[in-house]
Amino acid sequence: MTPVERARWLKAQTLFQSLTSESLYPLAEQMQDHPFGQGEVLAEAGTLPDGIQILLEGRWEERDPHSGEVLNLLPGAVAHLGEVLAEQPLRRDLVAVSAGIRGWIPAAVVRRWLAEHSGQLAEALAQAQDRLSYEQERQVALRPYLVPKVERGIVGSSRYAVRLRQQIKEAAQSGKPVLIFGEPGLEKDNVAALIHFGSPRRRQPMIKVDCSALQASGADLFGRTGGKPGLLEWLGEGTLLLNNLHELPAELMPKLLRLLETGSYTPVQRGEGEPGEERPCRCRLLMVSERPIPALDPWAMAIKVPPLRVRKADIKAMADYFLSLYSRRRGIPKPKLSPEALRRLQSYDFPGNSRELRSLVERAAVQAAGASVLGEEVFWASQPRGKQFRLNLLNVYPRLRRLLRSPWWPDRLNYGLVLPLYTLVVFLLFWGPQDRAHNVGLNLFWAWWWPLVLLVFPFLGRVWCAVCPFMIYGELIQRLSLWLWPRQLQKWPRQPAERWGGWVLFAGFALIFLWEEIWDLPNTAYLSGWLLLLITGGAVACSLVFERRFWCRYLCPIGGMNGLYAKLSMTELRAQQGTCSAECTTYQCYKGGPEKGEGMATGGCPLYSHPAQLQDNKDCVLCMTCLKACPHRSVEFNLRPPGIELWTTHTPRAAEIALLLLLLGGIYLHCLPRLAEQMAQWGLSWDLRQFWPHLGAALLALGFPSLVPLAAWGLAWLWHRLGRGARPRPFAEMIYGYLPLVLGGTLAFYWPLFLTEAGQVLPVTWATFSQTGSALPVLWQAHPAVVQFLQGSTLILAVLLSWALTGKIARQSLQWPYHLGALGLGVSLWQVLGI
C-alpha cells in the first residue's frame, strides 16, 4: 500500500476522519508495518510509549491491571495517542487477541505533525473520546452475552446436511428474522452463529440471551423510559439470538410479535407515567426453540434442524470430526473407528443428538487408552432401552454389597472349596468305580450339578461361570506360567472370535451331546472324567496364549449354554451410565488398575465387558470384579422382569439360535431309548446297540425338533399372506420365545435324577471307597408320583412362559402359530419324558 493509499485508509478507518488525506500524508509516509502473534503483549502499563500503534488486521485488548477492565479493539483502532502527546506512561496493557498486522509511527513524528494540525486534531480527539466512552459502555453491556465465533460448520454429506447448509446460506443473505427449532442437543445456537457470521453483518457483534432469564417486563431487552438502555439499543446493527424461545415469559410474547411485525419497540415505562416513544430496531433477530412456534410464521423464516437419528449417513463424518478435535486438543495420533464400532453407533438413536455423539466418541477415546483403532467394545449408549422396572439389590441389602466386595466372592470360594472338590471328583471318575450307583463323582456331576445349575439360571443367570473350575485351573496355570516365563499375553482376536466363536462352541456342544448318548457318559465314570478334562484343557490352553478369559467368552460350550439361559434371569449386573460418563476417567472396571477411593485394585473385567455397555446377560459372569473396582458406586445388581432384554435391547445371533435349537433337540436325545421303543410300536425299529444306526438316530433326535419352530413361523407368514394377520417379525427374533420351553424341558428331564439319585449321595460316597453304605441315611427319595407332578408342572409352566415371551417379542399378545408350536413341543415332551 502506497503512502497516498495509506493516508486515505487512515481517514476512512481511524479517528482522524475529520482531517484531510493530504494532512495525514506525513503520518502515512512514516508508518511502519509490523506483524504480531496471538497472545503477544504489545505494550505494558507503566512504560513510556515510543510511538502510536494502529491496528491494521486482527484484534487487540486493552486491559487495566488494577480494575481488570477490558476494552476490545478492532481494525482502525489507534492506541497510545494521548500518552504520546502528553508524554505520560501507559495506563493499560495492550495484548493481541489474534494474530495480525499493526502500523507503528514514532513518537517524534507524531509530535511534529501535531504542532501543525493541533486544532483539527483536538476536534478529532474530542469526537473519538465520545465514541470511545460510548463504545466502552456498550462493550460492558454486551460482553456477558457476546458470541465470539462459530464453533463448527455443518458436518456430513447426507441430504439433510446439504439441505441445512443451503438453508443457512439463504438465511444469511436474506436478513429476515429466523426461527431455528429442533430437539435438544442439536447445537442450534451454532446454526444461528453460522447465519450471522455468514451474513453482511458479520463485523457487528452477536449476542445470545437465554429467554428463561429475561425479566417478564422486558426491561433488559427494551430498556426503560428515561433510564438504562436495553440490549436492543446497545446492539445497534448487530444480531440478537434469543435462545430457548419456548421458555420466553408469556408477557413478552406480544411485545416480540410487535417487534417482528413493525420493526420497532417501546421502552418499558416507569410506574404510571406516559409510555415512551417507539424506537426503531436496527438489529437482526435470530431465535432458537425446541419446537415450532406458529405465531412467528408470518414474520420469521423457519429452519428445522434434523435430529441425528435421521442422519445416520453423517455419523461417520461427525465421529471422525470429533475424534480430530479431541486428538488435536490432546496432542495424540487420531484413532480410527472400526466397522463394528461404526455399526454400533449407527444402530443407536442418540436422544442427546450431536452432543451425545461427541461425548460418546471422546469417552471411547479415553477408554481405548491410545489404541489406534476404536472397537465396538468401547462404545456404549448413554441410556439403554428397557431401563425401567429395576430394583438395585445392593442398595436394598447393604450386607450383600459387602459380601460381593469381600475376598470370599469368588476367590476364597474358588480356591478353598471348588478347586479341591473338582480335583477330587475328577480323580474319583478315573480311579473309582465306573457306574453311577457306586461313584460319587458321577452322582455329583449328573444328579447334582446339572439340575442345580438349571435351577440357578432363572435367578442368577450365568453365576456358575464365576465359580467354574475349568477357568479356575486356567487362571491358576496362567499365573504360574507368567511367573516361570514372564511375557506379554496376546490380545484377543475379537473379529474372528465374534464371527466364529459361537459356531465353535455350538459344534463343541453338539459333539458333547453325541458323545454323551452314544458312549453312555452318565454311566461311564472315566469318560465323564475325560469330558471334564477336555473342557479344562481348552480353558488352560487359551489362558496360556490370551489374556483374561478368552475361552469363557467365546469358546466354552458350557459357557455358551449358560449365556443363552442367562437371558431369562430375573437379575442383571449393570452400571449407572450417567455416573460413568460424568465422573469416571480411568475405566478401572474394564481395564483394571490400582486402588482408587472406594475402588479396589483389580485386573479388570475377565470377559472385557464394561457394565455400563451391557445389554445382554450372556457377557457377564457375575464375578463382581467391576463392583470391587468402581470408586463411584456406579455398579448395580438389579432385580428385573425375567428375560426383559429379549424384547427390549436384544440382538439375535445366528450361532445362538443354532445352539438354542440344539439344546431343544438335546432333550429328545436324552430320551432316545424311549423314543426308539415308541417308534418300534409304529413299525420303525432302530438298533441302538450298533454305532451307525445309533449315530443316525441321535442326529435325527437333535435336528428334527427344530422343524417345529420353523413350521410355526412359516404358518404365521402364510396367515399374513392370506390377509388374516400382521406381518410376522423375523424368525431370528421369534425363536427366542421358545427359550423358556427349552430350559423347562431340560429341567423336567433332570428332575428324576435330582429327586431320587441325588439324595443317595452319602451311601454312594461310602460305596465309592468299597464300603457298604446301606446303613447311611438317604437325604431324600421322592415318590414317583411327586417326580411326575414336578415334571408336568415344569412343562406346563414352561409352555405358558413361552407363550408370554413370544407375545412380548412380537409386541402382540395373541400369536397362535407360535403358541401352537410351543404347545405341540410341550405335548411331545410330555410323551417322551413318560410323564
Side-chain angles (χ1 to χ4, degrees):
M1 189 180 297
T2 65
V4 174
E5 295 172 335
R6 179 61 56 81
R8 293 173 183 167
W9 185 89
L10 289 174
K11 175 177 173 55
Q13 302 293 334
T14 67
L15 57 84
F16 303 123
Q17 294 174 0
S18 60
L19 304 179
T20 63
S21 299
E22 292 76 9
S23 63
L24 292 172
Y25 183 83
L27 291 180
E29 190 177 30
Q30 295 296 323
M31 188 166 65
Q32 304 173 19
D33 292 352
H34 297 285
F36 58 85
Q38 182 178 0
E40 183 178 344
V41 179
L42 304 176
E44 295 183 359
T47 61
L48 287 172
D50 57 357
I52 65 172
Q53 302 192 60
I54 302 174
L55 180 57
L56 304 179
E57 296 179 12
R59 287 178 59 200
W60 288 345
E61 282 185 354
E62 283 191 343
R63 302 174 183 173
D64 191 324
H66 302 292
S67 66
E69 183 181 358
V70 176
L71 179 65
N72 291 306
L73 302 178
L74 299 176
V78 179
H80 311 152
L81 180 59
E83 289 85 349
V84 167
L85 298 181
E87 300 185 20
Q88 294 177 349
L90 301 177
R91 291 175 296 172
R92 295 183 177 90
D93 295 328
L94 184 64
V95 181
V97 178
S98 66
I101 301 175
R102 63 188 175 98
W104 176 77
I105 304 175
V109 173
V110 175
R111 294 191 186 101
R112 285 197 306 270
W113 176 79
L114 174 62
E116 301 176 4
H117 304 87
S118 57
Q120 294 175 321
L121 184 59
E123 181 182 353
L125 284 176
Q127 296 175 359
Q129 186 62 40
D130 291 341
R131 290 197 301 271
L132 182 60
S133 299
Y134 176 81
E135 187 63 31
Q136 285 179 324
E137 292 182 41
R138 184 190 185 206
Q139 290 193 23
V140 169
L142 297 181
R143 185 177 297 117
Y145 310 100
L146 279 176
V147 178
K149 62 180 181 178
V150 176
E151 289 293 329
R152 66 186 59 85
I154 304 301
V155 180
S157 57
S158 70
R159 59 189 179 94
Y160 296 100
V162 172
R163 181 184 177 187
L164 183 57
R165 278 193 287 266
Q166 182 63 32
Q167 289 177 316
I168 291 172
K169 183 177 180 181
E170 293 173 0
Q173 300 303 319
S174 71
K176 290 179 59 179
V178 180
L179 173 65
I180 305 160
F181 65 93
E183 298 176 1
L186 288 172
E187 299 180 321
K188 299 178 288 294
D189 51 350
N190 184 65
V191 173
L194 285 169
I195 293 174
H196 168 75
F197 288 102
S199 72
R201 298 175 185 252
R202 66 176 68 90
R203 296 187 180 277
Q204 299 295 327
M206 177 184 182
I207 63 173
K208 179 172 70 172
V209 179
D210 196 324
C211 291
S212 63
L214 288 175
Q215 299 177 21
S217 65
D220 38 10
L221 268 185
F222 306 118
R224 294 187 180 274
T225 303
K228 183 179 178 182
L231 290 174
L232 291 177
E233 183 174 339
W234 287 122
L235 191 55
E237 295 184 354
T239 299
L240 171 63
L241 170 59
L242 294 175
N243 198 29
N244 297 320
L245 189 64
H246 55 283
E247 298 180 2
L248 183 75
E251 300 88 340
L252 283 183
M253 182 56 72
K255 296 182 179 182
L256 175 62
L257 294 176
R258 176 174 174 78
L259 175 64
L260 292 172
E261 181 180 5
T262 64
S264 60
Y265 64 94
T266 303
V268 178
Q269 66 183 21
R270 295 178 178 273
E272 300 297 329
E274 292 291 327
E277 63 179 76
E278 284 197 354
R279 298 181 183 179
C281 177
R282 295 180 295 153
C283 71
R284 184 182 186 184
L285 281 177
L286 301 178
M287 296 158 285
V288 165
S289 173
E290 290 184 2
R291 58 178 181 266
I293 301 178
L296 303 180
D297 291 347
W299 303 289
M301 175 183 177
I303 296 179
K304 180 180 180 181
V305 183
L308 193 56
R309 65 176 177 271
V310 304
R311 295 177 55 193
K312 296 296 181 72
D314 292 334
I315 286 180
K316 183 178 187 303
M318 295 177 72
D320 285 341
Y321 175 74
F322 291 139
L323 279 175
S324 299
L325 291 181
Y326 175 82
S327 303
R328 192 181 307 122
R329 189 169 66 247
R330 295 295 182 93
I332 60 175
K334 175 187 170 185
K336 296 181 180 179
L337 283 176
S338 71
E340 294 78 16
L342 179 59
R343 285 195 294 269
R344 187 179 185 90
L345 291 176
Q346 290 174 335
S347 66
Y348 181 51
D349 284 342
F350 288 99
N353 291 296
S354 56
R355 288 180 183 170
E356 185 178 9
L357 174 60
R358 179 173 185 171
S359 174
L360 280 176
V361 167
E362 292 185 353
R363 187 167 61 232
V366 173
Q367 184 174 335
S372 59
V373 177
L374 301 183
E376 65 173 332
E377 67 276 3
V378 296
F379 285 94
W380 30 282
S382 65
Q383 185 64 37
R385 293 173 293 170
K387 188 66 177 174
Q388 67 275 19
F389 309 122
R390 263 60 171 192
L391 175 66
N392 187 4
L393 298 176
L394 301 180
N395 293 338
V396 178
Y397 304 105
R399 291 184 179 179
L400 178 61
R401 174 186 289 274
R402 291 195 292 270
L403 171 64
L404 296 179
R405 284 174 53 85
S406 72
W408 287 100
W409 182 263
D411 290 345
R412 290 183 180 175
L413 178 63
N414 283 344
Y415 291 97
L417 177 63
V418 177
L419 187 64
L421 181 60
Y422 173 73
T423 306
L424 176 62
V425 167
V426 173
F427 176 83
L428 293 176
L429 289 176
F430 277 102
W431 285 281
Q434 292 299 298
D435 63 294
R436 202 159 68 227
H438 298 86
N439 192 312
V440 69
L442 283 176
N443 182 277
L444 292 175
F445 184 21
W446 296 101
W448 280 87
W449 182 83
W450 270 104
L452 288 179
V453 77
L454 291 171
L455 285 170
V456 164
F457 289 136
F459 301 98
L460 296 174
R462 203 177 167 179
V463 71
W464 161 254
C465 293
V467 295
C468 171
F470 309 139
M471 205 59 227
I472 297 175
Y473 265 104
E475 291 181 339
L476 186 64
I477 298 299
Q478 185 182 74
R479 294 173 188 172
L480 181 61
S481 71
L482 290 175
W483 178 66
L484 295 174
W485 177 28
R487 66 194 186 282
Q488 184 66 41
L489 296 174
Q490 294 186 22
K491 300 289 184 182
W492 290 5
R494 283 189 176 271
Q495 292 184 358
E498 289 287 350
R499 183 176 182 182
W500 300 109
W503 294 108
V504 171
L505 64 86
F506 164 78
F509 216 108
L511 291 175
I512 290 174
F513 269 148
L514 294 174
W515 191 16
E516 174 188 343
E517 171 60 30
I518 296 174
W519 279 275
D520 195 18
L521 262 66
N523 295 295
T524 311
Y526 81 96
L527 290 179
S528 295
W530 275 116
L531 173 61
L532 297 178
L533 283 186
L534 285 174
I535 299 176
T536 305
V540 169
C542 287
S543 298
L544 290 173
V545 178
F546 299 108
E547 58 186 7
R548 307 199 190 186
R549 295 188 179 186
F550 180 76
W551 170 263
C552 292
R553 176 150 185 173
Y554 292 114
L555 301 178
C556 178
I558 305 300
M561 177 195 69
N562 294 351
L564 187 62
Y565 286 144
K567 299 173 187 289
L568 297 174
S569 173
M570 62 176 63
T571 56
E572 65 179 10
L573 188 138
R574 299 292 188 267
Q576 301 173 12
Q577 295 182 337
T579 302
C580 292
S581 60
E583 299 184 27
C584 185
T585 58
T586 57
Y587 305 103
Q588 289 181 236
C589 59
Y590 176 79
K591 298 187 293 185
E595 181 179 351
K596 179 183 178 182
E598 184 181 300
M600 304 176 184
T602 69
C605 176
L607 296 192
Y608 267 128
S609 295
H610 195 295
Q613 77 184 49
L614 280 174
Q615 296 186 7
D616 193 326
N617 275 359
K618 77 178 184 67
D619 291 330
C620 178
V621 298
L622 297 180
C623 64
M624 299 299 166
T625 300
C626 53
L627 177 64
K628 297 177 180 180
C630 180
H632 308 295
R633 292 205 167 206
S634 174
V635 178
E636 302 175 332
F637 183 52
N638 294 324
L639 187 67
R640 65 171 194 173
I644 189 174
E645 65 198 44
L646 290 171
W647 70 85
T648 54
T649 61
H650 189 252
T651 301
R653 297 173 182 266
E656 245 180 25
I657 296 169
L659 180 60
L660 190 156
L661 295 174
L662 179 70
L663 293 172
L664 174 62
I667 308 173
Y668 293 85
L669 180 65
H670 290 147
C671 304
L672 189 57
R674 183 176 181 85
L675 279 173
E677 292 177 5
Q678 293 181 354
M679 292 177 66
Q681 296 175 3
W682 301 339
L684 298 174
S685 60
W686 291 84
D687 187 0
L688 300 183
R689 294 171 298 178
Q690 298 184 22
F691 175 78
W692 292 111
H694 196 175
L695 177 61
L699 292 174
L700 279 176
L702 282 177
F704 192 78
S706 62
L707 298 178
V708 175
L710 283 169
W713 183 79
L715 188 59
W717 184 260
L718 178 62
W719 195 250
H720 164 68
R721 294 299 297 268
L722 293 175
R724 302 295 183 86
R727 182 186 182 93
R729 300 189 69 84
F731 175 77
E733 296 181 16
M734 298 304 302
I735 185 60
Y736 285 91
Y738 291 89
L739 190 54
L741 179 60
V742 177
L743 177 59
T746 307
L747 181 59
F749 169 78
Y750 280 103
W751 271 131
L753 290 177
F754 184 65
L755 295 175
T756 56
E757 292 188 24
Q760 300 177 16
V761 62
L762 295 181
V764 173
T765 302
W766 204 250
T768 304
F769 298 98
S770 302
Q771 302 295 322
T772 302
S774 57
L776 293 176
V778 175
L779 299 182
W780 59 76
Q781 182 75 38
H783 190 276
V786 175
V787 175
Q788 289 187 337
F789 173 78
L790 280 178
Q791 285 183 297
S793 301
T794 302
L795 270 183
I796 293 173
L797 180 62
V799 170
L800 294 177
L801 291 176
S802 288
W803 286 359
L805 182 57
T806 300
K808 296 294 289 185
I809 295 175
R811 295 168 178 80
Q812 186 177 356
S813 58
L814 183 59
Q815 293 289 312
W816 69 266
Y818 304 107
H819 297 345
L820 186 62
L823 181 61
L825 287 172
V827 171
S828 67
L829 288 174
W830 191 290
Q831 293 294 323
V832 299
L833 291 173
I835 301 175

